[in-house]
Amino acid sequence: MNAASPQVSIRAASISDWEAVAALRDLPGVRAGTLRQPFAPPERTRKWLENLTENDTIIVAELEGQIVGLAGLHRHNGRRQHAADLGMSVHDEYRRRGIGKALLTALVEAADRWLGICRIELTVFTDNEAAVSLYRQAGFVTEGVLKSYALRDGVLADVFVMARLRPQRQNLTP
């Protein structure tokens, strides 16, 4: 976003956001980048927001009062509690404006500084070059390719499995 653009604000998602979040998640470009199916009832998003647990960190990006992005971390349990899955969506009309970067930066900072999450994992369609580039800039590396992972627009599509490991901090205690 350039200096003349309004500033995006990042905040925790709330249950009252459900209609705006449902509309965002149903946009054709957003849906194409996720595993969501068309014609999902909006109430499903309300129920999802109502049933978040302490393992979920869900944030939204707002621009001039409109929700234009959504991202979240879902921490695993037990012996995988050091790891979390990441999901992220940006409104079709607001891409390439720094919104994805702002959401990703906020979640990585929360994971590193507050949540004790050492490993963030994600899958991304291999042809989603903008997202892959964003993740690589944030320190994610490709760990593999899952062939024919998901049906998208009538074709089985491949995804990259990517992860970011938190850089190890030096213990400063003597």
Side-chain angles (χ1 to χ4, degrees):
M1 296 175 53
N2 64 38
S5 297
Q7 191 67 22
V8 65
S9 67
I10 305 296
R11 64 170 175 80
S14 69
I15 296 169
S16 64
D17 294 325
W18 76 271
E19 289 178 293
V21 169
L24 172 77
R25 294 172 83 191
D26 201 39
L27 291 170
V30 169
R31 194 173 50 248
T34 69
L35 298 178
R36 288 183 53 81
Q37 296 180 358
F39 311 115
E43 294 77 20
R44 191 175 295 161
T45 297
R46 179 182 46 79
K47 288 179 184 175
W48 170 67
L49 286 169
E50 287 174 347
N51 292 307
L52 295 176
T53 71
E54 62 186 23
N55 287 336
D56 299 305
T57 302
I58 307 298
I59 60 175
V60 295
E62 271 189 330
L63 190 60
E64 297 178 334
Q66 180 182 354
I67 292 178
V68 294
L70 170 73
L73 289 173
H74 176 73
R75 179 194 292 268
H76 297 279
N77 291 317
R79 292 173 54 190
R80 295 247 314 128
Q81 67 183 351
H82 68 287
D85 292 323
L86 176 122
M88 192 165 71
S89 300
V90 175
H91 192 291
D92 292 3
E93 296 176 15
Y94 291 88
R95 295 192 175 168
R96 300 188 188 273
R97 296 189 192 188
I99 293 164
K101 183 177 182 178
L103 287 164
L104 186 57
T105 299
L107 284 179
V108 167
E109 181 176 304
D112 286 354
R113 298 180 69 195
W114 300 103
L115 302 174
I117 295 170
C118 303
R119 179 181 169 83
I120 304 173
E121 306 166 338
L122 61 89
T123 57
V124 59
F125 287 109
T126 57
D127 62 357
N128 190 343
E129 295 172 10
V132 171
S133 176
L134 175 65
Y135 297 137
R136 285 188 176 139
Q137 290 172 30
F140 285 78
V141 297
T142 302
E143 296 186 328
V145 177
L146 300 176
K147 299 288 191 179
S148 298
Y149 180 75
L151 187 64
R152 184 182 59 173
D153 199 20
V155 177
L156 289 172
D158 301 344
V159 295
F160 289 127
V161 175
M162 300 183 79
R164 177 191 178 272
L165 300 178
R166 180 176 69 209
Q168 294 297 316
R169 292 178 130 178
Q170 236 176 315
N171 187 353
L172 300 178
T173 55

